[in-house]
Amino acid sequence: MKRLFTIVFILTAISAHAQSVTGNHTKHPALMKGRLDTDQSLTISPNPLPKGDAILTVHSENIEVYGFRVLTTLGEIVELENLSGKPNGSIIDLHGAVDCGQYIIIFETDSGNITRRFMVL
C-alpha cells in the first residue's frame, strides 16, 4: 500500500508540475526539461556502482548543478540533496541509501533537469 501511495503521489506531482510548466510562459531553469548544448556535458561514474563503495562522481562541463535526487525504478526517493554552497558537489556518497539494483538520478541544473541512470552491483 505504501508503494502504491508513493507512485500515485509522484504521478500526481508530475502531472501538476507539467500543468504548471505548460501554463507558465516564463521558463524557470528548474522547470525546463534539460537539453544540453554541444559544449555541455554531465556524466556520472562509475556505472555500474559497486555497493561496497557507493560513491558517484559527477563530471560536468559548462553546466551548473544545483541539486539532485536519486530514485528507484518505482519512483521512491532514496536520496536528495541541495548542492548550493557546497564546495565539492561532484562527489555523491550513497552509502546506506542504495542497494543492488537500478536507479535514476535527476540533476537540477541551470539547463533544466538532467536525468541519468545507473546500476548498483
Side-chain angles (χ1 to χ4, degrees), residues 13-29:
I14 290 170
S15 175
H17 174 75
Q19 289 174 358
S20 70
V21 171
T22 56
N24 186 359
H25 296 290
T26 59
K27 293 186 177 181
H28 186 277

